[in-house]
Coordinates of all heavy atoms in Angstrom, one line a residue:
Chain A
M1 N 101.1 -34.1 -79.2 CA 100.0 -35.1 -79.0 C 99.4 -35.4 -80.4 O 99.2 -36.5 -80.8 CB 99.0 -34.6 -78.0 CG 97.8 -35.5 -77.8 SD 98.2 -37.0 -77.0 CE 96.6 -37.8 -76.9
A2 N 99.1 -34.3 -81.1 CA 98.5 -34.4 -82.4 C 99.4 -35.2 -83.4 O 98.9 -36.0 -84.2 CB 98.2 -33.0 -83.0
R3 N 100.7 -34.9 -83.3 CA 101.6 -35.6 -84.1 C 101.6 -37.1 -83.9 O 101.6 -37.9 -84.8 CB 103.1 -35.1 -83.9 CG 103.4 -33.9 -84.7 CD 104.9 -33.6 -84.5 NE 105.0 -32.1 -84.6 CZ 106.1 -31.5 -84.3 NH1 107.2 -32.2 -83.8 NH2 106.2 -30.2 -84.4
W4 N 101.5 -37.5 -82.6 CA 101.5 -38.9 -82.3 C 100.2 -39.6 -82.8 O 100.2 -40.7 -83.2 CB 101.7 -39.2 -80.8 CG 103.2 -39.0 -80.4 CD1 103.7 -38.0 -79.7 CD2 104.3 -39.7 -80.9 NE1 105.1 -38.1 -79.6 CE2 105.4 -39.2 -80.3 CE3 104.4 -40.9 -81.7 CZ2 106.7 -39.7 -80.5 CZ3 105.7 -41.4 -81.9 CH2 106.8 -40.8 -81.3
L5 N 99.1 -38.8 -82.7 CA 97.9 -39.4 -83.2 C 97.9 -39.6 -84.7 O 97.4 -40.6 -85.2 CB 96.7 -38.4 -82.8 CG 96.2 -38.5 -81.3 CD1 95.2 -37.4 -81.0 CD2 95.6 -39.9 -81.1
A6 N 98.5 -38.6 -85.3 CA 98.7 -38.7 -86.8 C 99.6 -39.9 -87.2 O 99.3 -40.6 -88.1 CB 99.3 -37.4 -87.4
A7 N 100.6 -40.1 -86.4 CA 101.5 -41.3 -86.6 C 100.8 -42.6 -86.4 O 100.9 -43.5 -87.2 CB 102.7 -41.2 -85.6
L8 N 99.9 -42.6 -85.4 CA 99.1 -43.8 -85.1 C 98.1 -44.1 -86.3 O 98.0 -45.2 -86.7 CB 98.4 -43.6 -83.8 CG 97.8 -44.9 -83.2 CD1 98.9 -45.8 -82.8 CD2 97.0 -44.5 -81.9
A9 N 97.5 -43.0 -86.8 CA 96.6 -43.1 -87.9 C 97.3 -43.6 -89.1 O 96.8 -44.4 -89.8 CB 95.9 -41.8 -88.1
L10 N 98.5 -43.1 -89.3 CA 99.3 -43.6 -90.5 C 99.6 -45.1 -90.4 O 99.5 -45.8 -91.4 CB 100.6 -42.8 -90.6 CG 101.5 -43.1 -91.8 CD1 100.9 -42.9 -93.1 CD2 102.8 -42.3 -91.7
C11 N 100.0 -45.5 -89.2 CA 100.3 -46.9 -89.0 C 99.0 -47.8 -89.2 O 99.1 -48.8 -89.9 CB 100.8 -47.2 -87.6 SG 102.5 -46.5 -87.4
A12 N 97.9 -47.3 -88.7 CA 96.7 -48.0 -88.9 C 96.3 -48.1 -90.4 O 95.8 -49.2 -90.9 CB 95.6 -47.4 -88.1
A13 N 96.5 -47.0 -91.1 CA 96.2 -47.0 -92.5 C 97.1 -48.0 -93.3 O 96.6 -48.7 -94.2 CB 96.4 -45.6 -93.1
C14 N 98.4 -48.1 -92.8 CA 99.3 -49.1 -93.5 C 98.8 -50.5 -93.3 O 99.0 -51.4 -94.1 CB 100.7 -48.9 -93.0 SG 101.5 -47.4 -93.7
L15 N 98.3 -50.8 -92.1 CA 97.7 -52.1 -91.8 C 96.6 -52.4 -92.7 O 96.3 -53.5 -93.1 CB 97.2 -52.2 -90.3 CG 98.3 -52.6 -89.3 CD1 97.8 -52.4 -87.9 CD2 98.8 -54.0 -89.5
G16 N 95.9 -51.3 -93.2 CA 94.8 -51.5 -94.1 C 95.2 -51.8 -95.5 O 94.4 -52.1 -96.4
C17 N 96.5 -51.9 -95.7 CA 97.1 -52.2 -97.0 C 97.1 -53.7 -97.3 O 97.8 -54.2 -98.2 CB 98.5 -51.7 -97.2 SG 98.5 -49.9 -97.3
A18 N 96.4 -54.5 -96.4 CA 96.5 -55.9 -96.6 C 95.9 -56.3 -98.0 O 95.0 -55.7 -98.5 CB 95.6 -56.6 -95.5
D19 N 96.6 -57.3 -98.6 CA 96.1 -57.8 -99.8 C 94.8 -58.6 -99.6 O 94.5 -59.1 -98.6 CB 97.1 -58.9 -100.4 CG 98.4 -58.3 -100.8 OD1 98.3 -57.2 -101.4 OD2 99.4 -58.9 -100.5
V20 N 94.0 -58.6 -100.7 CA 92.9 -59.5 -100.7 C 93.5 -60.9 -101.0 O 94.3 -61.0 -101.9 CB 91.9 -59.2 -101.8 CG1 90.8 -60.2 -102.0 CG2 91.3 -57.8 -101.6
R21 N 93.3 -61.9 -100.2 CA 93.9 -63.2 -100.4 C 93.4 -63.8 -101.7 O 92.3 -63.6 -102.1 CB 93.5 -64.1 -99.2 CG 94.0 -63.6 -97.8 CD 95.4 -63.9 -97.6 NE 95.8 -63.6 -96.2 CZ 96.6 -62.6 -95.9 NH1 97.1 -61.8 -96.8 NH2 97.0 -62.4 -94.6
P22 N 94.2 -64.6 -102.3 CA 93.8 -65.2 -103.6 C 92.5 -65.9 -103.6 O 91.7 -65.9 -104.5 CB 95.0 -66.1 -103.9 CG 96.1 -65.6 -103.2 CD 95.6 -65.0 -101.9
W23 N 92.2 -66.6 -102.4 CA 91.0 -67.4 -102.3 C 89.8 -66.5 -101.9 O 88.7 -67.0 -101.8 CB 91.1 -68.5 -101.4 CG 91.6 -68.1 -100.0 CD1 90.8 -67.8 -98.9 CD2 93.0 -68.0 -99.6 NE1 91.6 -67.5 -97.9 CE2 93.0 -67.6 -98.2 CE3 94.2 -68.1 -100.2 CZ2 94.1 -67.3 -97.5 CZ3 95.4 -67.9 -99.5 CH2 95.3 -67.5 -98.1
E24 N 90.0 -65.2 -101.8 CA 88.9 -64.3 -101.4 C 88.5 -63.4 -102.6 O 87.8 -62.4 -102.4 CB 89.4 -63.4 -100.3 CG 89.6 -64.1 -99.0 CD 90.3 -63.3 -97.9 OE1 90.9 -62.2 -98.3 OE2 90.3 -63.6 -96.7
R25 N 89.0 -63.8 -103.8 CA 88.7 -62.9 -104.9 C 87.4 -63.2 -105.7 O 87.3 -62.9 -106.8 CB 89.9 -63.0 -105.9 CG 91.2 -62.5 -105.3 CD 92.3 -62.5 -106.3 NE 92.2 -61.4 -107.2 CZ 93.1 -60.4 -107.3 NH1 94.1 -60.3 -106.5 NH2 92.9 -59.4 -108.2
D26 N 86.5 -63.9 -105.0 CA 85.3 -64.3 -105.6 C 84.5 -63.1 -106.2 O 84.0 -63.1 -107.4 CB 84.4 -65.1 -104.7 CG 84.2 -64.5 -103.3 OD1 85.0 -63.6 -103.0 OD2 83.3 -65.0 -102.6
A27 N 84.4 -62.0 -105.5 CA 83.7 -60.8 -105.9 C 84.4 -60.2 -107.2 O 83.8 -59.7 -108.1 CB 83.6 -59.8 -104.8
L28 N 85.7 -60.3 -107.2 CA 86.5 -59.7 -108.3 C 86.4 -60.5 -109.5 O 86.7 -60.1 -110.6 CB 88.0 -59.6 -107.9 CG 88.3 -58.6 -106.7 CD1 89.7 -58.8 -106.2 CD2 88.0 -57.2 -107.2
A29 N 85.9 -61.8 -109.4 CA 85.8 -62.7 -110.5 C 84.5 -62.4 -111.3 O 84.3 -63.0 -112.4 CB 85.9 -64.1 -110.1
R30 N 83.6 -61.7 -110.7 CA 82.3 -61.4 -111.4 C 82.6 -60.7 -112.7 O 83.4 -59.8 -112.8 CB 81.4 -60.6 -110.5 CG 80.8 -61.5 -109.4 CD 79.7 -60.8 -108.6 NE 79.5 -59.4 -108.9 CZ 79.5 -58.5 -107.9 NH1 79.6 -58.8 -106.6 NH2 79.3 -57.2 -108.2
A31 N 81.7 -60.9 -113.7 CA 81.9 -60.3 -115.0 C 81.8 -58.8 -114.9 O 82.5 -58.1 -115.6 CB 80.8 -60.8 -116.0
D32 N 80.9 -58.3 -114.0 CA 80.7 -56.8 -113.9 C 81.9 -56.2 -113.2 O 82.0 -55.0 -113.1 CB 79.4 -56.5 -113.2 CG 79.2 -57.2 -111.9 OD1 79.8 -58.2 -111.6 OD2 78.5 -56.6 -111.0
M33 N 82.8 -57.0 -112.6 CA 84.0 -56.4 -111.9 C 85.2 -56.4 -112.9 O 86.3 -56.0 -112.5 CB 84.3 -57.3 -110.7 CG 83.3 -57.1 -109.6 SD 83.3 -55.5 -108.8 CE 84.7 -55.6 -107.7
A34 N 85.0 -56.9 -114.1 CA 86.1 -57.0 -115.0 C 86.4 -55.5 -115.5 O 85.5 -54.7 -115.5 CB 85.8 -57.8 -116.2
W35 N 87.7 -55.3 -115.8 CA 88.1 -54.0 -116.2 C 87.3 -53.6 -117.5 O 86.8 -52.5 -117.6 CB 89.6 -54.0 -116.5 CG 90.2 -52.7 -116.7 CD1 90.5 -52.0 -117.8 CD2 90.6 -51.8 -115.6 NE1 91.0 -50.8 -117.5 CE2 91.1 -50.6 -116.2 CE3 90.6 -51.9 -114.2 CZ2 91.6 -49.5 -115.4 CZ3 91.0 -50.8 -113.5 CH2 91.5 -49.7 -114.1
D36 N 87.2 -54.6 -118.4 CA 86.4 -54.4 -119.6 C 85.4 -55.5 -119.7 O 85.6 -56.5 -120.3 CB 87.3 -54.4 -120.9 CG 88.2 -53.2 -120.9 OD1 87.7 -52.1 -120.5 OD2 89.4 -53.3 -121.3
P37 N 84.2 -55.3 -119.1 CA 83.2 -56.4 -119.2 C 82.8 -56.7 -120.6 O 82.4 -57.8 -120.9 CB 82.0 -55.9 -118.3 CG 82.4 -54.6 -117.8 CD 83.7 -54.1 -118.3
D38 N 82.8 -55.7 -121.5 CA 82.4 -55.9 -122.9 C 83.6 -55.6 -123.7 O 83.9 -54.4 -124.1 CB 81.2 -55.0 -123.2 CG 80.7 -55.3 -124.6 OD1 81.5 -55.9 -125.4 OD2 79.6 -54.8 -125.0
P39 N 84.5 -56.6 -124.0 CA 85.7 -56.3 -124.7 C 85.5 -55.6 -126.1 O 86.3 -54.7 -126.4 CB 86.3 -57.7 -124.9 CG 85.6 -58.6 -124.0 CD 84.3 -58.0 -123.8
L40 N 84.5 -55.9 -126.8 CA 84.3 -55.3 -128.1 C 84.0 -53.8 -127.9 O 84.6 -53.0 -128.6 CB 83.1 -56.0 -128.9 CG 82.9 -55.5 -130.3 CD1 84.1 -55.7 -131.2 CD2 81.7 -56.3 -130.9
A41 N 83.0 -53.5 -127.0 CA 82.7 -52.1 -126.8 C 83.9 -51.4 -126.3 O 84.1 -50.2 -126.7 CB 81.5 -52.0 -125.8
A42 N 84.7 -52.0 -125.4 CA 85.9 -51.4 -124.9 C 86.9 -51.1 -126.0 O 87.5 -50.0 -126.0 CB 86.5 -52.3 -123.8
A43 N 87.1 -52.0 -126.9 CA 88.0 -51.8 -128.0 C 87.6 -50.7 -128.9 O 88.4 -49.9 -129.3 CB 88.1 -53.1 -128.8
L44 N 86.3 -50.6 -129.1 CA 85.8 -49.5 -130.0 C 86.0 -48.1 -129.3 O 86.4 -47.2 -129.9 CB 84.3 -49.7 -130.2 CG 83.9 -50.8 -131.1 CD1 82.4 -51.1 -131.1 CD2 84.3 -50.6 -132.6
A45 N 85.7 -48.1 -128.0 CA 85.8 -46.9 -127.2 C 87.3 -46.5 -127.2 O 87.6 -45.3 -127.3 CB 85.3 -47.1 -125.8
K46 N 88.2 -47.4 -127.0 CA 89.6 -47.2 -126.9 C 90.1 -46.6 -128.2 O 90.9 -45.6 -128.3 CB 90.3 -48.5 -126.6 CG 91.7 -48.2 -125.9 CD 92.5 -49.5 -125.8 CE 91.9 -50.4 -124.8 NZ 92.8 -51.6 -124.6
H47 N 89.6 -47.2 -129.3 CA 90.0 -46.7 -130.6 C 89.6 -45.3 -130.9 O 90.4 -44.4 -131.3 CB 89.4 -47.6 -131.7 CG 89.8 -47.2 -133.1 ND1 91.0 -47.6 -133.7 CD2 89.2 -46.5 -134.0 CE1 91.1 -47.1 -134.9 NE2 90.0 -46.4 -135.1
I48 N 88.4 -45.0 -130.5 CA 87.8 -43.6 -130.7 C 88.6 -42.7 -129.8 O 89.0 -41.6 -130.2 CB 86.3 -43.6 -130.3 CG1 85.5 -44.4 -131.4 CG2 85.8 -42.1 -130.3 CD1 84.1 -44.7 -130.9
H49 N 88.9 -43.1 -128.6 CA 89.6 -42.2 -127.6 C 91.0 -41.8 -128.1 O 91.3 -40.7 -128.2 CB 89.7 -43.0 -126.3 CG 90.5 -42.2 -125.2 ND1 90.1 -41.2 -124.5 CD2 91.8 -42.4 -124.9 CE1 91.0 -40.7 -123.7 NE2 92.1 -41.4 -123.9
F50 N 91.8 -42.8 -128.5 CA 93.2 -42.4 -128.9 C 93.2 -41.9 -130.3 O 94.2 -41.2 -130.7 CB 94.2 -43.5 -128.6 CG 94.3 -44.7 -129.4 CD1 94.8 -44.7 -130.7 CD2 93.9 -46.0 -129.0 CE1 94.8 -45.8 -131.5 CE2 93.9 -47.1 -129.8 CZ 94.4 -47.0 -131.1
S51 N 92.2 -42.1 -131.0 CA 92.1 -41.5 -132.3 C 91.8 -40.0 -132.1 O 92.4 -39.1 -132.8 CB 90.9 -42.1 -133.1 OG 90.6 -41.4 -134.2
K52 N 91.0 -39.6 -131.2 CA 90.7 -38.2 -130.9 C 91.9 -37.6 -130.2 O 92.2 -36.4 -130.4 CB 89.5 -38.1 -129.9 CG 88.1 -38.3 -130.6 CD 87.0 -38.1 -129.7 CE 85.7 -38.2 -130.4 NZ 84.5 -38.1 -129.5
E53 N 92.5 -38.4 -129.3 CA 93.7 -37.9 -128.5 C 94.8 -37.6 -129.4 O 95.7 -36.7 -129.2 CB 94.1 -38.9 -127.4 CG 93.2 -38.9 -126.2 CD 93.6 -37.8 -125.2 OE1 94.8 -37.6 -125.0 OE2 92.6 -37.2 -124.7
G54 N 94.9 -38.4 -130.5 CA 96.1 -38.3 -131.4 C 97.4 -38.7 -130.7 O 98.4 -38.3 -131.0
S55 N 97.2 -39.7 -129.7 CA 98.4 -40.1 -128.9 C 98.3 -41.6 -128.8 O 97.4 -42.3 -129.2 CB 98.4 -39.5 -127.5 OG 97.3 -40.0 -126.8
L56 N 99.4 -42.2 -128.3 CA 99.5 -43.6 -128.2 C 98.6 -44.1 -127.0 O 98.5 -43.4 -126.0 CB 100.9 -44.1 -127.9 CG 101.8 -44.1 -129.2 CD1 103.3 -44.4 -128.8 CD2 101.3 -45.2 -130.1
D57 N 98.1 -45.3 -127.1 CA 97.2 -45.8 -126.1 C 98.0 -46.4 -124.9 O 98.9 -47.2 -125.1 CB 96.3 -46.9 -126.7 CG 95.7 -47.7 -125.7 OD1 95.2 -47.2 -124.7 OD2 95.6 -49.0 -125.9
G58 N 97.8 -45.9 -123.7 CA 98.5 -46.4 -122.5 C 98.0 -47.7 -122.1 O 98.7 -48.6 -121.6
G59 N 96.7 -47.9 -122.2 CA 96.1 -49.2 -121.8 C 95.8 -49.2 -120.4 O 96.3 -48.4 -119.6
P60 N 94.9 -50.1 -119.9 CA 94.5 -50.1 -118.5 C 95.6 -50.8 -117.7 O 96.3 -51.6 -118.2 CB 93.2 -50.9 -118.5 CG 93.3 -51.8 -119.7 CD 94.2 -51.1 -120.7
G61 N 95.6 -50.4 -116.4 CA 96.5 -51.1 -115.5 C 96.0 -52.4 -114.9 O 94.8 -52.7 -115.2
G62 N 96.7 -53.1 -114.2 CA 96.2 -54.3 -113.5 C 95.3 -54.0 -112.3 O 95.2 -52.8 -112.0
G63 N 94.7 -54.9 -111.7 CA 94.0 -54.7 -110.5 C 92.6 -55.3 -110.5 O 92.1 -55.6 -109.5
G64 N 92.0 -55.5 -111.7 CA 90.7 -56.1 -111.7 C 90.8 -57.6 -111.9 O 91.9 -58.1 -112.0
G65 N 89.7 -58.3 -112.0 CA 89.7 -59.7 -112.3 C 90.0 -60.6 -111.1 O 90.3 -60.2 -110.1
C66 N 89.8 -61.9 -111.4 CA 89.9 -62.9 -110.4 C 91.3 -63.3 -110.0 O 91.5 -64.0 -109.0 CB 89.0 -64.1 -110.8 SG 89.7 -65.0 -112.1
G67 N 92.3 -62.9 -110.8 CA 93.7 -63.3 -110.4 C 94.0 -64.8 -110.6 O 95.0 -65.2 -110.2
C68 N 93.1 -65.5 -111.3 CA 93.4 -66.9 -111.6 C 94.5 -67.1 -112.6 O 94.8 -66.2 -113.4 CB 92.2 -67.6 -112.2 SG 90.8 -67.5 -111.0
N69 N 95.3 -68.2 -112.5 CA 96.4 -68.5 -113.4 C 97.4 -67.3 -113.3 O 98.1 -67.1 -114.2 CB 95.9 -68.7 -114.8 CG 95.6 -70.2 -115.1 OD1 95.8 -71.0 -114.2 ND2 95.2 -70.5 -116.2

Side-chain angles (χ1 to χ4, degrees):
Chain A
M1 178 69 178
R3 274 186 213 170
W4 285 112
L5 281 172
L8 196 63
L10 178 63
C11 289
C14 286
L15 274 169
C17 292
D19 292 317
V20 173
R21 301 278 189 249
W23 55 92
E24 294 169 344
R25 297 182 77 114
D26 46 347
L28 295 169
R30 288 191 345 232
D32 55 335
M33 293 290 279
W35 194 262
D36 291 323
D38 185 345
L40 184 59
L44 289 169
K46 203 188 288 187
H47 181 83
I48 293 164
H49 174 82
F50 73 75
S51 166
K52 284 185 176 176
E53 283 278 320
S55 63
L56 283 171
D57 165 42
C66 67
C68 297
N69 270 359

